[in-house]
Each structure stands twice: as C-alpha cells, then as structure tokens.
Amino acid sequence: MFAVPRTYDGLPSFHDEEVTGTPMRLKRMLAEDSDSLRERSGAKITILEHGGKHPVLINRGQRHSRSFFPSAKVNTVQFVEGLAEERVAKYYEIHGPSIDYQCHQLMIQFMLNRRLRKYISDLSRAFVDAKGVVVPELIEVKRFPGDLRDDDYKEKLAAVRELLRSIGWRFTIINDREMFSPPELLPNVERIFVRRYAGLDEKECSAAEEIIKAGAPVTWGEFRRAVAPTDPLQGDAVIETLIARGKLLTDLEQYLCNSTFLQPSIRRSAASPIRI
C-alpha cells in the first residue's frame, strides 16, 4: 500500500500524488473486514465507543496517568492518558474555533512492511479554519520531540498521516512542551476550563448577548463593566464562562487583564465531520 518513504517534517512521507483526499473513501474503510487486511493490503477504521461494543483501549505506556472529565462542549466523557494529553484535551474543550473533539475516538488497522499495524488516535477534532471551512483533524500528542526517536514508530505515524489524507483529514503531531511553552497559556486554560459549567443570570446573559451580537472587539474591562457594573469578580467569571462556551475569543497566551481584547464569536451550527 505504501511506497518507499521520503523524509518530510521529521517523519517519512508516503504521499501519493495520484490519491485525492475524499470522505467517500472513509465509508469503505469503516466497512472493511479486518480479517482480509493481510490479503488485500487495505485499511480498517473502527469507531471506539466509550463503554460500547468497541470500548476505548488505553493500554500503551503503563506509567501514564489515566483520567477522565465530562465535556460541556460535546456532552461526552473524555478519557485521557497522561498529563500531556489531558492538557491538550482541556485546551480544545475551551478553544473557540474547535467545534467538536473526542479523545481516543478511532482505531486504524493497516498493512505496513508486510505487518498488520494498529493505531489508536489520541484526539480527533473539527475546527473552523480562517476561510470558514470545517476541517477534520486527528492529533497525536507527544510530551517532547524525544518521543519520536524510534524509526519504526515514525513510519507508522507517516502511514497513518497518508491514510487520513486519503479521506480528507489532517494529521498533526503536537509537542506538549512546545505548545505550553508560553508561561501564561496553561494557567489561563485551567482558569477558563473550570468555568465551562458555570451559569449566568438573566441580566448577565442579556448584557453579554447585546455585545456579542454587535460583533465588535471589546476590552476585558469594558465587557466586565457592561455585564457586572458593581462586581468586578463576577464580571470576570461571566467573561471566563463565555470564553469556555466559545462565545468570546481571546489570546490565551497573554496575561488576561483589563486591556485584553475579546472578540465576540457567533458559533454557527454545522455538522461535525468527525462524528462518523
């Protein structure tokens, strides 16, 4: 199935220019018989249902911590493995442009170098890009670049990347240490994350919706005074809740203060391409 790899971005490349990415190929991979993969060098994608017929399998890296948390964004329970994956999952829980995400959603089986290989995704997400297009993406979370030393493992990831490209998905490797290198990012993520289930009263909702509908950028201090004129702490809580819900966007890599700009976001309803 895969040609001799070329080096590309630290991973080998199995890119086949004759293969165009199309979601129709995904249907065939979902229907593929795993018993025949060795004979036909095909690929099989299985949806891992939490607690269902195909439960989530977290059996790599026995020293990793395992945990879970309920998601307000997608109304599911997110099972995570390791602190790095937990931080990344929390980030996408409150990341406005990401309209959907799921940890350990897919198992991909395929033939590589005459061996049947199996890959379980760390995280899938659907996000709205700069052009307003909803893009499906699979993310592999690593603690640091040293986790990609093994050549055989890099070939496996390269093969997964090409399979995903063939169905119209992106594949990204996130380095946790690099992603959270800005000193303010992780504290801000934790600060916003705990507000995801917070409630707002009628006056707060009304004042907030008026600003959001206007669509113009506004500073943190201006928004706080509008929603809670006499209670700055409650005003902060309202803003944090709206960021967690994706109704306000801001740069979480900076220190959040009165002069921080907030961009209202009216999330459109769109079918998520990762719910297959």
Side-chain angles (χ1 to χ4, degrees):
M1 171 178 281
F2 303 102
V4 177
R6 305 185 303 274
T7 300
Y8 178 74
D9 288 346
L11 291 182
S13 175
F14 295 106
H15 182 79
D16 187 345
E17 296 181 356
E18 296 182 359
V19 176
T20 303
T22 170
M24 295 300 296
R25 192 174 286 110
L26 172 60
K27 294 182 178 181
R28 294 198 294 270
M29 290 185 184
L30 290 169
E32 182 68 79
D33 181 7
S34 58
D35 294 334
S36 65
L37 292 181
R38 295 181 186 276
E39 301 174 5
R40 303 193 297 104
S41 296
K44 166 72 174 176
I45 292 180
T46 302
I47 302 171
L48 300 176
E49 302 170 8
H50 292 196
K53 182 179 180 181
H54 301 290
V56 176
L57 304 174
I58 306 179
N59 54 20
R60 295 170 288 115
Q62 297 300 318
R63 291 177 294 177
H64 286 310
S65 63
R66 284 83 181 272
S67 60
F68 63 90
F69 63 84
S71 167
K73 172 177 281 187
V74 296
N75 196 31
T76 63
V77 174
Q78 300 294 339
F79 293 88
V80 295
E81 177 189 52
L83 294 177
E85 188 176 300
E86 180 180 355
R87 286 193 287 263
V88 173
K90 286 181 176 180
Y91 175 82
Y92 287 120
E93 169 73 15
I94 64 168
H95 183 243
S98 297
I99 62 172
D100 192 8
Y101 79 103
Q102 186 68 49
C103 296
H104 301 280
Q105 183 196 22
L106 303 177
M107 178 172 66
I108 305 174
Q109 296 169 279
F110 56 93
M111 292 298 295
L112 177 64
N113 297 331
R114 300 182 179 180
R115 293 168 55 195
L116 181 62
R117 308 300 296 269
K118 180 174 70 174
Y119 172 82
I120 296 177
S121 62
D122 283 341
L123 188 145
S124 307
R125 73 161 178 149
F127 68 97
V128 181
D129 67 9
K131 298 180 180 179
V133 178
V134 180
V135 180
E137 180 182 46
L138 190 146
I139 295 172
E140 174 71 17
V141 179
K142 294 300 173 193
R143 298 167 299 172
F144 43 79
D147 284 344
L148 288 174
R149 288 190 296 263
D150 184 78
D151 290 338
D152 181 67
Y153 182 57
K154 288 193 289 187
E155 281 199 6
K156 176 181 175 179
L157 293 182
V160 169
R161 177 174 61 186
E162 177 60 14
L163 284 170
L164 291 169
R165 189 193 67 82
S166 75
I167 63 174
W169 285 43
R170 291 187 186 180
F171 178 71
T172 301
I173 298 175
I174 285 181
N175 176 350
D176 169 73
R177 187 170 294 180
E178 180 179 327
M179 177 177 178
F180 290 99
S181 59
E184 299 295 340
L185 180 56
L186 185 56
N188 285 339
V189 169
E190 295 288 357
R191 173 181 174 180
I192 303 300
F193 179 79
V194 297
R195 296 288 187 186
R196 67 196 191 282
Y197 283 109
L200 305 178
D201 65 28
E202 187 174 343
K203 288 185 178 180
E204 292 166 347
C205 286
S206 178
E209 286 299 325
E210 185 175 344
I211 300 175
I212 291 172
K213 287 180 180 179
V218 60
T219 66
W220 189 289
E222 291 168 340
F223 201 106
R224 181 173 58 192
R225 286 191 294 272
V227 297
T230 62
D231 190 343
L233 292 179
Q234 179 59 22
D236 288 341
V238 171
I239 294 172
E240 291 161 4
T241 300
L242 294 172
I243 294 174
R245 294 180 181 180
K247 292 189 174 183
L248 290 176
L249 306 179
T250 193
D251 181 5
L252 293 178
E253 294 184 5
Q254 65 176 325
Y255 177 72
L256 302 179
C257 59
N258 286 343
S259 60
T260 298
F261 274 99
L262 304 170
Q263 175 62 56
S265 173
I266 300 176
R267 182 178 294 175
R268 63 177 183 175
S269 58
S272 172
I274 72 170
R275 299 297 167 180
I276 51 180

